[in-house]
Amino acid sequence: MFSYEFMRNAFAAGTIIAIICGIMGVFVIARNMSFLTHTLSEIGFSGAAFGVFAGWAPLNGMLLFTVISSVIVGQLSARSERREAATSAISALFIGLGILFLSLANKNASYATSILFGSVIGISASDVRQMLWLSILVLLIVFVLYRFLKFDSFDHTGARVKGLWTNTLSITFLVLVALSVSVAAQIVGSLLIFILLTLPAATAKYFAHTVGGMMTLAIGLALVGVWAGLTLSYVTNYPVSFFIAAIEAVFYFLALGWQKLQTAE
């Protein structure tokens, strides 16, 4: 399996993605932003389609659209009562734009599928390097803002009372999520990226009781899902995104079952 360069690239990219998603996912779950993450993944599809239409690499189009739209979404959804309406409207708009850009680019359905659900074969060494640098940027920003992100994510009311710059922090966090979406979409596709950004962290919260513990466990679960998914995809020739989604869903339902057993005792 590792004699093929594309599989080596896929495993390197998958490892980077699992680490980023495990860390960012903890904050996504704490901030109840799963739906917003799904919206950014759909915007990523539109950005990738625009990149194809403009003759760019799909990742560059994703970065452009997700980063700009994350700022817009952050501004529109600053008030929680209008968050769902704003994200639904933006999601619908960008899905339509993505279909339009693919149509204008004269690309067939198989190309659209690779953008939506990922493609292992299409990952090159240069893609891995670009993903690595983007991931390092995200991790550096998270490291610098960790204390503030942790406070705002797990005690938003307390952070506001303390005078923390919660609005700016929220938009900064959305930009970080946008970068994470663009990085991770290379493996699982733009429409399934919210799986890695939500399920490992959602599972980890049932077993770990500290933020660091949740991150460590979420990274581990994401790594198992990605590595096992890539291996099964290679062996069976079925889509890697299916296996990753199924594995992470199984982990989550097992965690729910464990939680029910604990509360029943």
Side-chain angles (χ1 to χ4, degrees):
M1 180 170 65
F2 289 107
S3 61
Y4 296 102
E5 183 183 6
F6 75 89
M7 285 305 297
R8 294 196 298 271
N9 291 335
F11 268 85
T15 301
I16 295 169
I17 289 166
I19 294 170
I20 286 293
C21 289
I23 292 172
M24 293 300 297
V26 170
F27 293 119
V28 168
I29 294 300
R31 299 170 84 92
N32 295 316
M33 284 189 169
S34 299
F35 183 60
L36 211 55
T37 303
H38 182 57
T39 299
L40 283 175
S41 69
E42 290 166 347
I43 292 170
F45 160 66
S46 181
F50 175 77
V52 172
F53 167 68
W56 303 350
L59 178 57
N60 294 336
M62 276 189 185
L63 286 170
L64 176 67
F65 272 48
T66 55
V67 170
I68 291 175
S69 61
S70 65
V71 177
I72 297 172
V73 169
Q75 293 287 354
L76 288 176
S77 60
R79 294 174 58 184
S80 59
E81 61 267 22
R82 68 185 183 199
R83 178 177 294 164
E84 287 194 12
T87 51
S88 295
I90 292 171
S91 174
L93 171 64
F94 277 93
I95 288 177
L97 284 174
I99 295 169
L100 173 64
F101 288 136
L102 278 180
S103 176
L104 292 173
N106 295 319
K107 293 295 181 181
N108 57 27
S110 64
Y111 200 90
T113 301
S114 69
I115 292 176
L116 289 169
F117 302 108
S119 174
V120 175
I121 299 175
I123 299 174
S124 64
S126 61
D127 290 332
V128 174
R129 286 192 294 271
Q130 188 176 13
M131 292 165 65
L132 178 61
W133 286 114
L134 284 171
S135 301
I136 289 172
L137 175 63
V138 171
L139 291 176
L140 282 174
I141 297 173
V142 170
F143 177 76
V144 172
L145 299 177
Y146 178 77
R147 187 163 58 92
F148 304 110
L149 276 174
K150 179 180 174 182
F151 190 14
D152 186 44
S153 299
F154 289 89
D155 186 11
H156 181 67
T157 303
R160 294 187 67 179
V161 170
K162 287 284 187 179
L164 193 65
W165 24 283
T166 54
N167 220 19
T168 303
L169 202 59
S170 179
I171 293 173
T172 303
F173 175 73
L174 282 174
V175 171
L176 292 175
V177 174
L179 293 173
S180 303
V181 164
S182 298
V183 168
Q186 306 303 300
I187 289 284
V188 294
S190 61
L191 290 190
L192 293 178
I193 181 52
F194 69 95
I195 292 169
L196 284 177
L197 275 169
T198 55
L199 287 185
T203 303
K205 74 177 182 180
Y206 290 110
F207 299 103
H209 304 292
T210 64
V211 177
M214 285 176 64
M215 286 182 176
T216 302
L217 185 53
I219 290 172
L221 292 169
L223 282 171
V224 170
V226 170
W227 289 345
L230 286 169
T231 303
L232 289 170
S233 177
Y234 175 80
V235 172
T236 64
N237 204 30
Y238 290 136
V240 63
S241 51
F242 160 71
F243 290 113
I244 293 174
I247 291 166
E248 298 301 343
V250 167
F251 285 153
Y252 180 69
F253 288 125
L254 286 174
L256 284 179
W258 171 259
Q259 179 70 9
K260 284 190 176 183
L261 285 175
Q262 292 297 103
T263 53
E265 291 179 357

